[in-house]
Amino acid sequence: MISGRIGDCSVDIIPVVNGLISEAERVRGLVGDYEAYAVSLGIEGVQTIKNRANIDEEFEVSELDLVYAEHISKFGQVEFPSPAMCALIDSVREKGMNVIPLDMNDDDFTQMYCDTVGVTDFVREHRLAKKGLKKGFRLESPESFAREWDDYVNTVKGYRETSRNRERYMAEQIRDIARFRKNLLAVIEIERVDGVVSELGW
């Protein structure tokens, strides 16, 4: 957990490894008596997880996500959507509260993505995934692999800029929440945490 203050608000950030079922129990154990809870998803992502029991179709997973899942499965059972984020949303709902989305909504993300990721970058995704399947990652721990995978994907300039834009946006959302709450618990994928913390100036 990474802790800091923004004005009068105490902020705790839990870095999580997306995909691993084992992360869910860790997050559940950290849900306490916070005034607010937030997650690095857009509002549509939060709603999808809340309503996932009523959704028949499988969750859409990109080619890069499938390759990531293949590697991260060396550390345990894998499931999508993120078990850690599902655990937060479910636990907070049991408390009669709602999780606040930190990320952009679908329309804003799509616009940002189209402005950032060029055609050449997009075309490279299949090649990147194919190469990533065979790449010899160190696989020392789930956390180090998640970061190493992120570094690999972000060798593509457009994806790297997309990640930075998300980090800036989420940091701004945390600052906004902090104006109205005394404490906040935020769950963010580990590969975005350093960037968000840097944007917060901690």
Side-chain angles (χ1 to χ4, degrees), residues 82-164:
S82 169
M85 297 183 183
C86 290
L88 178 73
I89 291 168
D90 292 346
S91 297
V92 171
R93 181 162 56 175
E94 289 169 7
K95 293 168 65 70
M97 300 170 66
N98 290 313
V99 170
I100 301 169
L102 290 177
D103 212 342
M104 304 172 204
N105 64 46
D106 283 355
D107 287 344
D108 289 346
F109 178 81
T110 299
Q111 184 61 58
M112 182 273 292
Y113 185 89
C114 291
D115 291 342
T116 305
V117 179
V119 174
T120 304
D121 292 337
F122 184 76
V123 168
R124 288 180 63 189
E125 181 172 325
H126 173 71
R127 192 182 311 146
L128 198 67
K130 188 175 180 180
K131 185 179 176 183
L133 190 60
K134 300 176 182 178
K135 183 174 170 60
F137 293 100
R138 289 192 296 272
L139 298 174
E140 294 171 352
S141 71
E143 295 81 8
S144 65
F145 167 70
R147 287 192 171 104
E148 191 179 0
W149 173 257
D150 189 63
D151 288 342
Y152 170 71
V153 172
N154 284 338
T155 56
V156 177
K157 181 182 177 183
Y159 294 159
R160 185 169 63 251
E161 291 180 359
T162 295
S163 296
R164 299 295 88 80

Side-chain angles (χ1 to χ4, degrees), residues 14-30 72-79 81-85 87 141-143:
I14 305 175
V16 297
V17 178
N18 276 336
L20 284 181
I21 289 178
S22 57
E23 290 285 88
E25 198 57 41
R26 186 169 71 88
V27 169
R28 283 192 202 96
L30 292 169
I72 202 73
S73 67
K74 305 296 189 301
F75 300 101
Q77 193 174 353
V78 174
E79 194 173 90
S82 169
M85 297 183 183
S141 71
E143 295 81 8

Side-chain angles (χ1 to χ4, degrees), residues 9 55 61 75 80-81 95 106 109 126 129 134 156 161 166 172 174 184 186 188:
C9 181
I55 298 174
V61 180
F75 300 101
F80 290 104
K95 293 168 65 70
D106 283 355
F109 178 81
H126 173 71
K134 300 176 182 178
V156 177
E161 291 180 359
R166 288 186 61 224
E172 190 56 42
I174 290 172
L184 165 69
I188 300 173

